[in-house]
Amino acid sequence: MSTGKRFQGKVAIVTASTEGIGLAIAKRLAQDGAHVMISSRKQKKVDAAVDQLRSEGLSVSGIVCHVAKEEHRRTLIKETLNKYGGIDILVSNAATNTHYGPLLSISESGWDKVFEVNLKATFLLVKEIAPYIEKRGGGSIVLVSSIAGFNFDILQFIGAYGTSKTAMIGLTKALVPQCAQMNIRINCIAPGLIKTKMNAGLWKNPDTYEERIKGIPMNRFGQPSECAGVVSFLCSEDASYITGETIVIAGGLSSRL
Ligand code: NAP
């Protein structure tokens, strides 16, 4: 639930924000007072998300951005600066999974694509946007990892995706010193099983759902809004001495590496 206008006057970029967790994060940051630039690969989805959030009275704009495309990232940044005059918050949320099965059977191109979208594009977004956040006197960055970056038992058939998500936890830590010099805090969230389109196959069918929740101590999947609240906290002054951390939002699933 929104806690008021803690981000009044701030500008946030949230990638992959036309559905699911990204849309919930965009909505929450806007409810908390930020101007939010929404984006994803498909214009239709961007238009629908912008219409939905504007109809709720929120300050959002939208643009197409496939995070692995340099030109798209450049346009995302340029349009945000043109529209709102600066950037204070980046949430890097885009990810892909190209392979479901034993890890050694993944193709080289499948492996490369997972790491290109999930890890490299995240790094490049931080590299390209951090100087603009610094120009505003500092701000906050949040990366979206996954419980799959910690727990390879429950999600054993998505090993490349999980490995890329483990690397994002490391990337968060590796970026801390330089970001601190720029007065930027960088943190990460690791959602567990959240009810979105990405894993609809696991929760839409009641039998499959009952089976999957057996291993979750809280006995349910999470909602996208339960991730968005944590991102809002991490970007806020309430988290002013927190950087380099990963918060697991997984209803009690094991998260030891
Ligand atoms: P989702 O509901 O399927 O939504 C995915 C969003 O990403 C859509 O807006 C999609 O729009 C966009 N997108 C996909 N590829 C993109 C790309 N290359 N560049 C830009 N946008 C792209 O997914 P979700 O479940 O919310 O997942 C969001 C993040 O949470 C991901 O990083 C995922 O790994 C992580 N996560 C999810 C769960 C879960 O249980 N759902 C658990 C742990 C972590 P377009 O089709 O228009 O591009």
Side-chain angles (χ1 to χ4, degrees):
M1 194 195 298
S2 172
T3 53
K5 298 292 174 195
R6 63 188 358 175
F7 301 129
Q8 194 82 54
K10 303 287 185 196
V11 178
I13 287 179
V14 185
T15 64
S17 45
T18 58
E19 278 180 307
I21 294 170
L23 178 60
I25 292 169
K27 178 175 173 167
R28 176 60 192 267
L29 297 181
Q31 285 173 334
D32 286 345
H35 304 292
V36 182
M37 184 59 87
I38 282 172
S39 63
S40 76
R41 293 166 303 176
K42 302 191 187 89
Q43 185 72 54
K44 253 174 110 170
K45 286 199 201 171
V46 172
D47 293 343
V50 168
D51 287 351
Q52 184 198 322
L53 297 192
R54 281 191 182 157
S55 74
E56 296 174 29
L58 301 173
S59 174
V60 300
S61 298
I63 191 161
V64 166
C65 176
H66 184 320
V67 292
K69 295 191 175 172
E70 185 185 358
E71 259 175 71
H72 285 205
R73 294 195 305 271
R74 205 178 306 130
T75 311
L76 169 69
I77 295 166
K78 199 170 125 213
E79 286 303 308
T80 308
L81 295 173
N82 285 346
K83 180 91 189 162
Y84 298 122
I87 303 167
D88 304 282
I89 293 168
L90 165 66
V91 182
S92 178
N93 174 63
T96 193
N97 178 37
T98 57
H99 182 70
Y100 187 82
L103 181 52
L104 292 177
S105 64
I106 193 170
S107 66
E108 183 174 348
S109 61
W111 175 273
D112 285 347
K113 187 162 184 209
V114 167
F115 278 79
E116 188 188 11
V117 173
N118 301 5
L119 192 65
K120 184 176 165 189
T122 295
F123 171 69
L124 291 174
L125 275 165
V126 173
K127 181 177 160 74
E128 290 155 1
I129 291 177
Y132 293 103
I133 302 181
E134 184 183 25
K135 264 194 199 159
R136 300 272 273 191
S140 192
I141 296 174
V142 177
L143 311 185
V144 178
S145 175
S146 169
I147 191 69
F150 289 96
N151 189 325
F152 287 81
D153 296 330
I154 51 154
L155 297 161
Q156 56 185 296
F157 288 120
I158 48 173
Y161 169 89
T163 307
S164 74
K165 294 294 191 176
T166 311
M168 288 179 74
I169 298 164
L171 178 65
T172 305
K173 297 228 176 264
L175 286 165
V176 164
Q178 268 190 291
C179 283
Q181 281 173 10
M182 301 163 103
N183 202 25
I184 298 170
R185 291 180 302 98
I186 177 159
N187 290 292
C188 184
I189 62 166
L193 293 162
I194 308 295
K195 281 190 176 177
T196 69
K197 208 170 98 184
M198 181 186 237
N199 59 19
L202 300 181
W203 56 267
K204 281 212 164 150
N205 176 321
D207 295 336
T208 320
Y209 184 61
E210 284 308 313
E211 199 47 46
R212 294 306 299 207
I213 61 174
K214 273 187 194 152
I216 305 173
M218 285 183 72
N219 212 35
R220 66 172 178 86
F221 277 28
Q223 296 292 341
S225 60
E226 293 177 292
C227 301
V230 178
V231 172
S232 175
F233 161 70
L234 285 172
C235 293
S236 77
E237 277 304 300
D238 285 340
S240 55
Y241 200 48
I242 299 178
T243 192
E245 296 302 327
T246 296
I247 296 188
V248 176
I249 309 162
L253 279 175
S254 167
S255 57
R256 268 179 75 95
L257 263 178

